[in-house]
Amino acid sequence: MTREGPTVYTECSTIWNPIHTDIRVAHASGLPDIVVHGTETMARAVTAVLDDQDLGRWTVGRLATRCTGMGVPGETVTVHRTDPRPDPAGHVIGFRSTRSDGATVLQGSVELVPRG
C-alpha cells in the first residue's frame, strides 16, 4: 500500500474523508496514520484475484466483501485466494487479504459467470 494511493483513490472515487488523506486528521481521530479506503483495498484484492482468469470467457456476476481491519500506507497486504469452486452459473473464488502481522483486513468472494 503506497502513501499516494489513498489520495489518488479519493480523487478518482470522489470518496472524501480526511482520515484517508490528512495525517493530522487521522492522528486527531486516534489513528496511527492515514487509512487506506476499504473500497481501494477491495479493488486491489479483486484485481489480484482476477489477474490470471480468462476474462474473455468470464465476467464478474457478483462480488461480496467484508472489511475486517484497516490498512495504512507502507504496509504489505497479501491476497490469498481459494481454488475456484463450481457454481451452477459459473464459479466462485474466495479470497482474504492479510497484513504482514497476519491480521485479515478484507475477506470475500467473486462469482464469475460466462460472458454472453
Side-chain angles (χ1 to χ4, degrees), residues 1 6 9-10 13 15 17 19-20 35-46 63 65-72 77 95 97 105-107:
M1 300 208 177
Y9 191 83
T10 290
S13 67
I15 301 172
N17 183 327
I19 64 167
H20 299 297
V35 179
V36 177
H37 297 74
T39 49
E40 177 184 357
T41 305
M42 176 195 67
R44 291 181 182 279
V46 171
L63 172 65
T65 60
R66 180 172 174 252
C67 291
T68 56
M70 74 175 173
V72 297
V77 174
F95 63 91
S97 298
V105 295
L106 182 80
Q107 58 190 24

Side-chain angles (χ1 to χ4, degrees), residues 3-22:
R3 174 121 334 249
E4 301 80 20
T7 301
V8 171
Y9 191 83
T10 290
E11 291 300 317
C12 293
S13 67
T14 65
I15 301 172
W16 290 292
N17 183 327
I19 64 167
H20 299 297
T21 56
D22 188 329

Side-chain angles (χ1 to χ4, degrees), residues 93-115:
I93 304 169
F95 63 91
R96 66 186 174 86
S97 298
T98 60
R99 293 189 309 240
S100 56
D101 66 2
T104 299
V105 295
L106 182 80
Q107 58 190 24
S109 63
V110 179
E111 177 188 32
L112 297 179
V113 296
R115 237 181 234 285

